[in-house]
Amino acid sequence: SVRKLLTENLSTRISEIEKSTEAGPARDQATGLLFARNGLFGEARRIFERAIFGEAGAPGGGAAEWGKELKEETAILLADLALCITLGAHSRADLDAAARYGEAAAEAFPPEAAREKGELMLKVALVHHLRGDLSAARVWSGKALRLDPALGETYRRLMTSEGPVAGLTDEILQFLRQGL
């Protein structure tokens, strides 16, 4: 009931987005991020999936085969989708999907967007860390740090969190949520 009430309260802001933004990727992103910023990750996920894949849903082969064929606007939506899936993850399969989508988005980001691409690669590394795949986390953090060495301090801070090991996951999720 709280979720329903929050969704109803967001309807005014959604109407504003619909009035001020043409139908298409920009509107889908604005609406999806509105839901995500309010903690409604499932709703945000559905918006991003529909915007990227249409009513048919995600392709069966997975995101890895898309590679650089993605348009930049689709890569941005895919990066947002990966973030929403991670923050609303309920299973290992969710984190696996988030990692695949994040990787595909990072590969499709143009070289001139080096800062954004590096940040996305760092987020992909963190998703792999959450999945428990430390090897993939090292690969993606290495890519991110080669692209933008300034990200090294952020990565070290997140990986050396004080307190219990569970606190590390909380730090990572908090950092990812700031990306919304």
Side-chain angles (χ1 to χ4, degrees), residues 22-37:
E22 278 188 47
R27 181 191 289 178
D28 295 330
Q29 182 182 35
T31 304
L33 289 176
L34 175 65
F35 279 102
R37 287 181 185 125

Side-chain angles (χ1 to χ4, degrees), residues 14 17-32 47:
I14 293 169
I17 291 170
E18 290 173 349
K19 289 177 186 173
S20 65
T21 310
E22 278 188 47
R27 181 191 289 178
D28 295 330
Q29 182 182 35
T31 304
I47 290 167

